[in-house]
Amino acid sequence: MARGGRAWRGWFPVGGELTAGVADDKEGVYFGADLGPDHRQVTAGTAMHGPNLYPRHPVELGAVVREYMALMTEVGHTVLSGIALGLGLGPSWFTDHLTADPLTLFRIFRYPGRPGSDPGRWGVGEHTDYGLLTLLAQDDCGGLQVRTPQGWIDAPPRPGTMVCNLGDMLERLTGGRYRSTPHRVRHAGVGDRLSFPFFLDPSWEAVVDRLPIVDRPVEDDAARRWDAMSVHGFDGTYGDYIMTKIGRVFPDLAAGTTAGGRR
């Protein structure tokens, strides 16, 4: 990932990513929209924008990643259309207001097999995702858990399905009518676990404000959240928000980088 620079793309080793200050027991590869040197966000030095880094082998990976991300973007917008209708908005509300130029991210994670591992050892600890939606494909190993009002439950893989997590910006937008999904992973199997999350986030410059149709009182939700930070208690763009989060995940990469470019 150090070779990806401000684009934050490439491979990180087991333990190279932090959740709530604790190293995750996984490795992975980060991808995003493949942007050339003339793209306005790249020329501006904006973090998380730029070209992907692909390994030499398999040579087909780059084309597969680009096709997969395009398809998942369509799926995500379809899901958001349904959510918009459920909120009494037009089906194109999200693309009209927040996702005309969405930040799209895709990751491939490998959780190494740890049979009989320490029950306190987590592939990734409790967290929520930052944007609007996460569409997760996973193998048949299991290990994903979701926190509900009644406690933690398993989210076992089912053939032919994907998991859809809601993100912080959907909670902020709806004043908590929709909640971002706290989840975690523990893999205690013999073989490796693979997962493939795709993130559909607002446009980098989008300002995510509460919908005027939401009449719920403003909630200080920091006490119940994994990071003790309210999704309602910040001002700025989505780029500002995600940089405060990712700076905690990869502090070395975040050093010297701001949402708008170089520090």
Side-chain angles (χ1 to χ4, degrees):
M1 289 190 75
R3 296 182 181 180
R6 295 185 306 280
W8 293 41
R9 310 290 170 82
W11 169 81
F12 69 89
V14 173
E17 181 172 311
L18 307 179
T19 300
V22 178
D24 297 342
D25 191 22
K26 71 175 189 293
E27 67 173 333
V29 189
Y30 273 43
F31 302 101
D34 251 330
L35 303 178
D38 296 332
H39 189 278
R40 64 182 182 86
Q41 296 283 29
V42 178
T43 58
T46 305
M48 300 181 66
H49 291 73
N52 286 324
L53 296 180
Y54 299 110
R56 292 186 179 94
H57 303 286
V59 296
E60 303 90 353
L61 183 62
V64 170
V65 166
R66 288 188 289 271
E67 181 181 8
Y68 187 79
M69 290 187 66
L71 290 171
M72 288 299 98
T73 300
E74 292 182 17
V75 173
H77 277 130
T78 300
V79 175
L80 288 177
S81 293
I83 291 175
L85 290 171
L87 291 169
L89 306 169
S92 64
W93 188 92
F94 281 93
T95 52
D96 291 342
H97 294 85
L98 291 181
T99 59
D101 182 22
L103 181 67
T104 55
L105 306 169
F106 173 56
R107 295 164 188 172
I108 299 174
F109 290 142
R110 181 187 75 91
Y111 298 81
R114 306 287 190 192
S117 63
D118 178 355
R121 185 185 183 108
W122 290 96
V124 56
E126 178 182 353
H127 66 286
T128 56
D129 297 332
Y130 312 138
L132 292 167
L133 296 177
T134 304
L135 300 171
L136 174 69
Q138 55 182 330
D139 64 14
D140 59 359
C141 288
L144 176 64
Q145 295 183 334
V146 176
R147 182 162 59 83
T148 73
Q150 291 74 40
W152 288 96
I153 61 171
D154 292 330
R158 297 180 178 177
T161 69
M162 305 185 80
V163 172
C164 181
N165 285 333
L166 307 184
D168 292 345
M169 292 302 96
L170 200 56
E171 179 165 340
R172 177 179 171 88
L173 186 73
T174 63
R177 180 182 298 182
Y178 288 94
R179 301 279 193 183
S180 53
T181 311
H183 54 286
R184 63 188 184 185
V185 174
R186 176 186 284 134
H187 177 49
V190 175
D192 295 343
R193 176 184 186 268
L194 297 176
S195 69
F196 308 87
F198 171 83
F199 303 87
L200 179 60
D201 294 0
S203 304
W204 189 261
E205 297 101 342
V207 176
V208 183
D209 290 326
R210 177 175 295 203
L211 290 168
I213 61 172
V214 177
D215 57 2
R216 300 165 64 99
V218 175
E219 175 187 6
D220 182 3
D221 60 340
R224 67 171 173 81
R225 285 183 53 84
W226 64 281
D227 56 359
M229 296 178 63
S230 173
V231 300
H232 308 292
F234 84 95
D235 294 315
T237 65
Y238 180 64
D240 296 325
Y241 181 79
I242 195 171
M243 284 302 296
T244 65
K245 299 292 188 178
I246 291 185
R248 298 182 176 200
V249 176
F250 292 106
D252 291 342
L253 280 174
T257 303
T258 64
R262 294 176 176 174
R263 186 181 303 163

PDB file of all heavy atoms in Angstrom, residues 8 12 15-22 24 26 30 107 130 226 242-254:
ATOM      1  N   TRP A   8      -4.110   5.100  -1.728  1.00  0.00           N
ATOM      2  CA  TRP A   8      -4.413   4.065  -0.730  1.00  0.00           C
ATOM      3  C   TRP A   8      -4.865   2.781  -1.401  1.00  0.00           C
ATOM      4  O   TRP A   8      -5.919   2.255  -1.097  1.00  0.00           O
ATOM      5  CB  TRP A   8      -5.466   4.550   0.265  1.00  0.00           C
ATOM      6  CG  TRP A   8      -5.021   5.671   1.155  1.00  0.00           C
ATOM      7  CD1 TRP A   8      -4.273   6.746   0.800  1.00  0.00           C
ATOM      8  CD2 TRP A   8      -5.278   5.832   2.546  1.00  0.00           C
ATOM      9  NE1 TRP A   8      -4.069   7.563   1.867  1.00  0.00           N
ATOM     10  CE2 TRP A   8      -4.679   7.043   2.959  1.00  0.00           C
ATOM     11  CE3 TRP A   8      -5.976   5.081   3.475  1.00  0.00           C
ATOM     12  CZ2 TRP A   8      -4.748   7.503   4.260  1.00  0.00           C
ATOM     13  CZ3 TRP A   8      -6.054   5.543   4.769  1.00  0.00           C
ATOM     14  CH2 TRP A   8      -5.446   6.730   5.166  1.00  0.00           C
ATOM     15  N   PHE A  12      -1.867  -5.133   2.002  1.00  0.00           N
ATOM     16  CA  PHE A  12      -1.334  -4.956   3.356  1.00  0.00           C
ATOM     17  C   PHE A  12      -1.236  -6.332   4.011  1.00  0.00           C
ATOM     18  O   PHE A  12      -2.038  -7.221   3.731  1.00  0.00           O
ATOM     19  CB  PHE A  12      -2.198  -4.008   4.194  1.00  0.00           C
ATOM     20  CG  PHE A  12      -3.549  -4.566   4.564  1.00  0.00           C
ATOM     21  CD1 PHE A  12      -3.731  -5.297   5.724  1.00  0.00           C
ATOM     22  CD2 PHE A  12      -4.648  -4.350   3.751  1.00  0.00           C
ATOM     23  CE1 PHE A  12      -4.972  -5.810   6.070  1.00  0.00           C
ATOM     24  CE2 PHE A  12      -5.892  -4.862   4.073  1.00  0.00           C
ATOM     25  CZ  PHE A  12      -6.057  -5.601   5.244  1.00  0.00           C
ATOM     26  N   GLY A  15      -2.195  -8.174  10.170  1.00  0.00           N
ATOM     27  CA  GLY A  15      -1.866  -7.252  11.248  1.00  0.00           C
ATOM     28  C   GLY A  15      -1.588  -5.840  10.796  1.00  0.00           C
ATOM     29  O   GLY A  15      -1.333  -4.965  11.626  1.00  0.00           O
ATOM     30  N   GLY A  16      -1.663  -5.576   9.478  1.00  0.00           N
ATOM     31  CA  GLY A  16      -1.338  -4.258   8.963  1.00  0.00           C
ATOM     32  C   GLY A  16      -2.480  -3.267   8.986  1.00  0.00           C
ATOM     33  O   GLY A  16      -2.301  -2.113   8.599  1.00  0.00           O
ATOM     34  N   GLU A  17      -3.667  -3.698   9.405  1.00  0.00           N
ATOM     35  CA  GLU A  17      -4.821  -2.812   9.510  1.00  0.00           C
ATOM     36  C   GLU A  17      -5.332  -2.856  10.932  1.00  0.00           C
ATOM     37  O   GLU A  17      -5.371  -3.932  11.555  1.00  0.00           O
ATOM     38  CB  GLU A  17      -5.914  -3.241   8.525  1.00  0.00           C
ATOM     39  CG  GLU A  17      -7.152  -2.353   8.546  1.00  0.00           C
ATOM     40  CD  GLU A  17      -8.120  -2.693   7.409  1.00  0.00           C
ATOM     41  OE1 GLU A  17      -7.651  -2.801   6.258  1.00  0.00           O
ATOM     42  OE2 GLU A  17      -9.321  -2.852   7.668  1.00  0.00           O
ATOM     43  N   LEU A  18      -5.734  -1.698  11.467  1.00  0.00           N
ATOM     44  CA  LEU A  18      -6.186  -1.599  12.841  1.00  0.00           C
ATOM     45  C   LEU A  18      -7.686  -1.351  12.906  1.00  0.00           C
ATOM     46  O   LEU A  18      -8.253  -0.634  12.078  1.00  0.00           O
ATOM     47  CB  LEU A  18      -5.475  -0.444  13.565  1.00  0.00           C
ATOM     48  CG  LEU A  18      -3.947  -0.416  13.526  1.00  0.00           C
ATOM     49  CD1 LEU A  18      -3.442   0.814  14.275  1.00  0.00           C
ATOM     50  CD2 LEU A  18      -3.347  -1.678  14.113  1.00  0.00           C
ATOM     51  N   THR A  19      -8.337  -1.935  13.916  1.00  0.00           N
ATOM     52  CA  THR A  19      -9.717  -1.612  14.242  1.00  0.00           C
ATOM     53  C   THR A  19      -9.765  -1.255  15.714  1.00  0.00           C
ATOM     54  O   THR A  19      -9.406  -2.071  16.566  1.00  0.00           O
ATOM     55  CB  THR A  19     -10.660  -2.793  13.966  1.00  0.00           C
ATOM     56  OG1 THR A  19     -10.583  -3.139  12.573  1.00  0.00           O
ATOM     57  CG2 THR A  19     -12.107  -2.425  14.296  1.00  0.00           C
ATOM     58  N   ALA A  20     -10.178  -0.011  16.006  1.00  0.00           N
ATOM     59  CA  ALA A  20     -10.187   0.488  17.384  1.00  0.00           C
ATOM     60  C   ALA A  20      -8.815   0.309  18.042  1.00  0.00           C
ATOM     61  O   ALA A  20      -8.709  -0.006  19.220  1.00  0.00           O
ATOM     62  CB  ALA A  20     -11.274  -0.192  18.206  1.00  0.00           C
ATOM     63  N   GLY A  21      -7.761   0.503  17.253  1.00  0.00           N
ATOM     64  CA  GLY A  21      -6.408   0.439  17.767  1.00  0.00           C
ATOM     65  C   GLY A  21      -5.823  -0.943  17.896  1.00  0.00           C
ATOM     66  O   GLY A  21      -4.672  -1.089  18.315  1.00  0.00           O
ATOM     67  N   VAL A  22      -6.572  -1.982  17.538  1.00  0.00           N
ATOM     68  CA  VAL A  22      -6.117  -3.368  17.649  1.00  0.00           C
ATOM     69  C   VAL A  22      -5.873  -3.919  16.252  1.00  0.00           C
ATOM     70  O   VAL A  22      -6.707  -3.759  15.352  1.00  0.00           O
ATOM     71  CB  VAL A  22      -7.152  -4.231  18.398  1.00  0.00           C
ATOM     72  CG1 VAL A  22      -6.687  -5.680  18.474  1.00  0.00           C
ATOM     73  CG2 VAL A  22      -7.387  -3.671  19.805  1.00  0.00           C
ATOM     74  N   ASP A  24      -5.897  -6.210  13.123  1.00  0.00           N
ATOM     75  CA  ASP A  24      -6.777  -7.258  12.603  1.00  0.00           C
ATOM     76  C   ASP A  24      -5.961  -8.498  12.241  1.00  0.00           C
ATOM     77  O   ASP A  24      -4.809  -8.398  11.813  1.00  0.00           O
ATOM     78  CB  ASP A  24      -7.508  -6.777  11.349  1.00  0.00           C
ATOM     79  CG  ASP A  24      -8.418  -5.604  11.611  1.00  0.00           C
ATOM     80  OD1 ASP A  24      -8.763  -5.364  12.780  1.00  0.00           O
ATOM     81  OD2 ASP A  24      -8.782  -4.920  10.628  1.00  0.00           O
ATOM     82  N   LYS A  26      -5.969 -10.406   9.602  1.00  0.00           N
ATOM     83  CA  LYS A  26      -6.302 -10.598   8.191  1.00  0.00           C
ATOM     84  C   LYS A  26      -5.304  -9.829   7.352  1.00  0.00           C
ATOM     85  O   LYS A  26      -4.619  -8.912   7.840  1.00  0.00           O
ATOM     86  CB  LYS A  26      -7.718 -10.116   7.886  1.00  0.00           C
ATOM     87  CG  LYS A  26      -7.923  -8.612   7.900  1.00  0.00           C
ATOM     88  CD  LYS A  26      -9.338  -8.262   7.466  1.00  0.00           C
ATOM     89  CE  LYS A  26      -9.533  -6.766   7.245  1.00  0.00           C
ATOM     90  NZ  LYS A  26      -9.429  -5.968   8.471  1.00  0.00           N
ATOM     91  N   TYR A  30      -6.553  -3.570  -1.446  1.00  0.00           N
ATOM     92  CA  TYR A  30      -7.494  -2.468  -1.617  1.00  0.00           C
ATOM     93  C   TYR A  30      -7.552  -2.046  -3.084  1.00  0.00           C
ATOM     94  O   TYR A  30      -6.508  -1.850  -3.718  1.00  0.00           O
ATOM     95  CB  TYR A  30      -7.044  -1.262  -0.793  1.00  0.00           C
ATOM     96  CG  TYR A  30      -7.524  -1.240   0.633  1.00  0.00           C
ATOM     97  CD1 TYR A  30      -7.514  -2.386   1.413  1.00  0.00           C
ATOM     98  CD2 TYR A  30      -7.975  -0.056   1.215  1.00  0.00           C
ATOM     99  CE1 TYR A  30      -7.939  -2.359   2.734  1.00  0.00           C
ATOM    100  CE2 TYR A  30      -8.399  -0.020   2.535  1.00  0.00           C
ATOM    101  CZ  TYR A  30      -8.383  -1.178   3.278  1.00  0.00           C
ATOM    102  OH  TYR A  30      -8.808  -1.151   4.585  1.00  0.00           O
ATOM    103  N   ARG A 107     -12.525  -4.545  -1.757  1.00  0.00           N
ATOM    104  CA  ARG A 107     -11.415  -5.159  -1.039  1.00  0.00           C
ATOM    105  C   ARG A 107     -11.526  -6.678  -1.092  1.00  0.00           C
ATOM    106  O   ARG A 107     -12.634  -7.220  -1.098  1.00  0.00           O
ATOM    107  CB  ARG A 107     -11.398  -4.681   0.416  1.00  0.00           C
ATOM    108  CG  ARG A 107     -11.122  -3.191   0.489  1.00  0.00           C
ATOM    109  CD  ARG A 107     -11.456  -2.573   1.805  1.00  0.00           C
ATOM    110  NE  ARG A 107     -11.334  -1.124   1.698  1.00  0.00           N
ATOM    111  CZ  ARG A 107     -11.708  -0.272   2.640  1.00  0.00           C
ATOM    112  NH1 ARG A 107     -12.247  -0.731   3.754  1.00  0.00           N
ATOM    113  NH2 ARG A 107     -11.559   1.024   2.470  1.00  0.00           N
ATOM    114  N   TYR A 130     -18.469   3.135   6.807  1.00  0.00           N
ATOM    115  CA  TYR A 130     -18.551   4.591   6.883  1.00  0.00           C
ATOM    116  C   TYR A 130     -19.538   5.231   5.915  1.00  0.00           C
ATOM    117  O   TYR A 130     -20.013   6.327   6.174  1.00  0.00           O
ATOM    118  CB  TYR A 130     -17.158   5.194   6.605  1.00  0.00           C
ATOM    119  CG  TYR A 130     -16.046   4.557   7.383  1.00  0.00           C
ATOM    120  CD1 TYR A 130     -14.823   4.264   6.787  1.00  0.00           C
ATOM    121  CD2 TYR A 130     -16.208   4.237   8.736  1.00  0.00           C
ATOM    122  CE1 TYR A 130     -13.791   3.684   7.504  1.00  0.00           C
ATOM    123  CE2 TYR A 130     -15.180   3.655   9.464  1.00  0.00           C
ATOM    124  CZ  TYR A 130     -13.978   3.378   8.839  1.00  0.00           C
ATOM    125  OH  TYR A 130     -12.960   2.798   9.544  1.00  0.00           O
ATOM    126  N   TRP A 226     -19.092   1.843  18.651  1.00  0.00           N
ATOM    127  CA  TRP A 226     -17.815   1.162  18.864  1.00  0.00           C
ATOM    128  C   TRP A 226     -16.647   2.129  18.988  1.00  0.00           C
ATOM    129  O   TRP A 226     -15.687   1.858  19.713  1.00  0.00           O
ATOM    130  CB  TRP A 226     -17.555   0.201  17.699  1.00  0.00           C
ATOM    131  CG  TRP A 226     -17.399   0.896  16.375  1.00  0.00           C
ATOM    132  CD1 TRP A 226     -18.407   1.376  15.593  1.00  0.00           C
ATOM    133  CD2 TRP A 226     -16.179   1.206  15.707  1.00  0.00           C
ATOM    134  NE1 TRP A 226     -17.897   1.974  14.466  1.00  0.00           N
ATOM    135  CE2 TRP A 226     -16.526   1.868  14.504  1.00  0.00           C
ATOM    136  CE3 TRP A 226     -14.836   0.983  15.987  1.00  0.00           C
ATOM    137  CZ2 TRP A 226     -15.564   2.329  13.596  1.00  0.00           C
ATOM    138  CZ3 TRP A 226     -13.883   1.427  15.075  1.00  0.00           C
ATOM    139  CH2 TRP A 226     -14.256   2.086  13.901  1.00  0.00           C
ATOM    140  N   ILE A 242     -14.579  10.471   6.127  1.00  0.00           N
ATOM    141  CA  ILE A 242     -13.897   9.199   5.941  1.00  0.00           C
ATOM    142  C   ILE A 242     -12.409   9.323   6.251  1.00  0.00           C
ATOM    143  O   ILE A 242     -11.784   8.366   6.731  1.00  0.00           O
ATOM    144  CB  ILE A 242     -14.139   8.648   4.523  1.00  0.00           C
ATOM    145  CG1 ILE A 242     -13.741   7.165   4.460  1.00  0.00           C
ATOM    146  CG2 ILE A 242     -13.408   9.455   3.478  1.00  0.00           C
ATOM    147  CD1 ILE A 242     -14.125   6.472   3.178  1.00  0.00           C
ATOM    148  N   MET A 243     -11.827  10.498   6.051  1.00  0.00           N
ATOM    149  CA  MET A 243     -10.415  10.646   6.374  1.00  0.00           C
ATOM    150  C   MET A 243     -10.166  10.573   7.875  1.00  0.00           C
ATOM    151  O   MET A 243      -9.133  10.062   8.315  1.00  0.00           O
ATOM    152  CB  MET A 243      -9.882  11.958   5.813  1.00  0.00           C
ATOM    153  CG  MET A 243      -9.656  11.920   4.308  1.00  0.00           C
ATOM    154  SD  MET A 243      -8.504  10.614   3.779  1.00  0.00           S
ATOM    155  CE  MET A 243      -6.998  11.139   4.572  1.00  0.00           C
ATOM    156  N   THR A 244     -11.108  11.063   8.683  1.00  0.00           N
ATOM    157  CA  THR A 244     -10.936  10.930  10.133  1.00  0.00           C
ATOM    158  C   THR A 244     -10.986   9.470  10.555  1.00  0.00           C
ATOM    159  O   THR A 244     -10.342   9.074  11.530  1.00  0.00           O
ATOM    160  CB  THR A 244     -12.016  11.707  10.899  1.00  0.00           C
ATOM    161  OG1 THR A 244     -13.314  11.133  10.649  1.00  0.00           O
ATOM    162  CG2 THR A 244     -12.038  13.175  10.505  1.00  0.00           C
ATOM    163  N   LYS A 245     -11.732   8.650   9.807  1.00  0.00           N
ATOM    164  CA  LYS A 245     -11.863   7.230  10.141  1.00  0.00           C
ATOM    165  C   LYS A 245     -10.666   6.430   9.648  1.00  0.00           C
ATOM    166  O   LYS A 245     -10.074   5.644  10.387  1.00  0.00           O
ATOM    167  CB  LYS A 245     -13.155   6.670   9.528  1.00  0.00           C
ATOM    168  CG  LYS A 245     -14.427   7.338  10.016  1.00  0.00           C
ATOM    169  CD  LYS A 245     -14.672   7.021  11.472  1.00  0.00           C
ATOM    170  CE  LYS A 245     -16.026   7.523  11.933  1.00  0.00           C
ATOM    171  NZ  LYS A 245     -16.302   7.173  13.334  1.00  0.00           N
ATOM    172  N   ILE A 246     -10.308   6.619   8.389  1.00  0.00           N
ATOM    173  CA  ILE A 246      -9.259   5.796   7.805  1.00  0.00           C
ATOM    174  C   ILE A 246      -7.903   6.142   8.394  1.00  0.00           C
ATOM    175  O   ILE A 246      -7.003   5.308   8.450  1.00  0.00           O
ATOM    176  CB  ILE A 246      -9.287   5.932   6.273  1.00  0.00           C
ATOM    177  CG1 ILE A 246     -10.558   5.266   5.740  1.00  0.00           C
ATOM    178  CG2 ILE A 246      -8.059   5.310   5.631  1.00  0.00           C
ATOM    179  CD1 ILE A 246     -10.673   5.210   4.256  1.00  0.00           C
ATOM    180  N   GLY A 247      -7.753   7.372   8.868  1.00  0.00           N
ATOM    181  CA  GLY A 247      -6.514   7.721   9.533  1.00  0.00           C
ATOM    182  C   GLY A 247      -6.241   6.876  10.761  1.00  0.00           C
ATOM    183  O   GLY A 247      -5.089   6.699  11.166  1.00  0.00           O
ATOM    184  N   ARG A 248      -7.286   6.301  11.342  1.00  0.00           N
ATOM    185  CA  ARG A 248      -7.112   5.416  12.489  1.00  0.00           C
ATOM    186  C   ARG A 248      -6.836   3.975  12.065  1.00  0.00           C
ATOM    187  O   ARG A 248      -6.305   3.201  12.842  1.00  0.00           O
ATOM    188  CB  ARG A 248      -8.369   5.454  13.364  1.00  0.00           C
ATOM    189  CG  ARG A 248      -8.670   6.832  13.937  1.00  0.00           C
ATOM    190  CD  ARG A 248      -9.894   6.808  14.821  1.00  0.00           C
ATOM    191  NE  ARG A 248     -10.113   8.101  15.442  1.00  0.00           N
ATOM    192  CZ  ARG A 248     -10.847   8.283  16.533  1.00  0.00           C
ATOM    193  NH1 ARG A 248     -11.441   7.249  17.104  1.00  0.00           N
ATOM    194  NH2 ARG A 248     -10.998   9.482  17.041  1.00  0.00           N
ATOM    195  N   VAL A 249      -7.251   3.639  10.844  1.00  0.00           N
ATOM    196  CA  VAL A 249      -7.043   2.280  10.342  1.00  0.00           C
ATOM    197  C   VAL A 249      -5.610   2.096   9.856  1.00  0.00           C
ATOM    198  O   VAL A 249      -4.970   1.082  10.117  1.00  0.00           O
ATOM    199  CB  VAL A 249      -8.047   1.988   9.210  1.00  0.00           C
ATOM    200  CG1 VAL A 249      -7.789   0.619   8.601  1.00  0.00           C
ATOM    201  CG2 VAL A 249      -9.479   2.071   9.739  1.00  0.00           C
ATOM    202  N   PHE A 250      -5.118   3.093   9.116  1.00  0.00           N
ATOM    203  CA  PHE A 250      -3.747   3.071   8.601  1.00  0.00           C
ATOM    204  C   PHE A 250      -3.045   4.373   9.000  1.00  0.00           C
ATOM    205  O   PHE A 250      -2.864   5.277   8.176  1.00  0.00           O
ATOM    206  CB  PHE A 250      -3.732   2.930   7.076  1.00  0.00           C
ATOM    207  CG  PHE A 250      -4.217   1.613   6.570  1.00  0.00           C
ATOM    208  CD1 PHE A 250      -5.463   1.496   5.976  1.00  0.00           C
ATOM    209  CD2 PHE A 250      -3.430   0.473   6.677  1.00  0.00           C
ATOM    210  CE1 PHE A 250      -5.910   0.281   5.493  1.00  0.00           C
ATOM    211  CE2 PHE A 250      -3.873  -0.748   6.198  1.00  0.00           C
ATOM    212  CZ  PHE A 250      -5.113  -0.847   5.612  1.00  0.00           C
ATOM    213  N   PRO A 251      -2.660   4.514  10.264  1.00  0.00           N
ATOM    214  CA  PRO A 251      -2.089   5.787  10.704  1.00  0.00           C
ATOM    215  C   PRO A 251      -0.819   6.178   9.967  1.00  0.00           C
ATOM    216  O   PRO A 251      -0.581   7.364   9.744  1.00  0.00           O
ATOM    217  CB  PRO A 251      -1.830   5.554  12.204  1.00  0.00           C
ATOM    218  CG  PRO A 251      -1.822   4.073  12.385  1.00  0.00           C
ATOM    219  CD  PRO A 251      -2.762   3.536  11.360  1.00  0.00           C
ATOM    220  N   ASP A 252       0.003   5.214   9.559  1.00  0.00           N
ATOM    221  CA  ASP A 252       1.239   5.550   8.858  1.00  0.00           C
ATOM    222  C   ASP A 252       0.948   6.152   7.494  1.00  0.00           C
ATOM    223  O   ASP A 252       1.602   7.111   7.070  1.00  0.00           O
ATOM    224  CB  ASP A 252       2.114   4.306   8.695  1.00  0.00           C
ATOM    225  CG  ASP A 252       2.673   3.809  10.025  1.00  0.00           C
ATOM    226  OD1 ASP A 252       2.668   4.601  10.987  1.00  0.00           O
ATOM    227  OD2 ASP A 252       3.088   2.642  10.096  1.00  0.00           O
ATOM    228  N   LEU A 253      -0.028   5.593   6.789  1.00  0.00           N
ATOM    229  CA  LEU A 253      -0.384   6.132   5.485  1.00  0.00           C
ATOM    230  C   LEU A 253      -1.061   7.486   5.612  1.00  0.00           C
ATOM    231  O   LEU A 253      -0.905   8.358   4.766  1.00  0.00           O
ATOM    232  CB  LEU A 253      -1.314   5.161   4.748  1.00  0.00           C
ATOM    233  CG  LEU A 253      -0.653   3.968   4.059  1.00  0.00           C
ATOM    234  CD1 LEU A 253      -1.717   3.046   3.505  1.00  0.00           C
ATOM    235  CD2 LEU A 253       0.275   4.412   2.960  1.00  0.00           C
ATOM    236  N   ALA A 254      -1.846   7.659   6.691  1.00  0.00           N
ATOM    237  CA  ALA A 254      -2.588   8.905   6.847  1.00  0.00           C
ATOM    238  C   ALA A 254      -1.663  10.073   7.167  1.00  0.00           C
ATOM    239  O   ALA A 254      -2.002  11.231   6.891  1.00  0.00           O
ATOM    240  CB  ALA A 254      -3.630   8.759   7.960  1.00  0.00           C
TER     241      ALA A 254
END
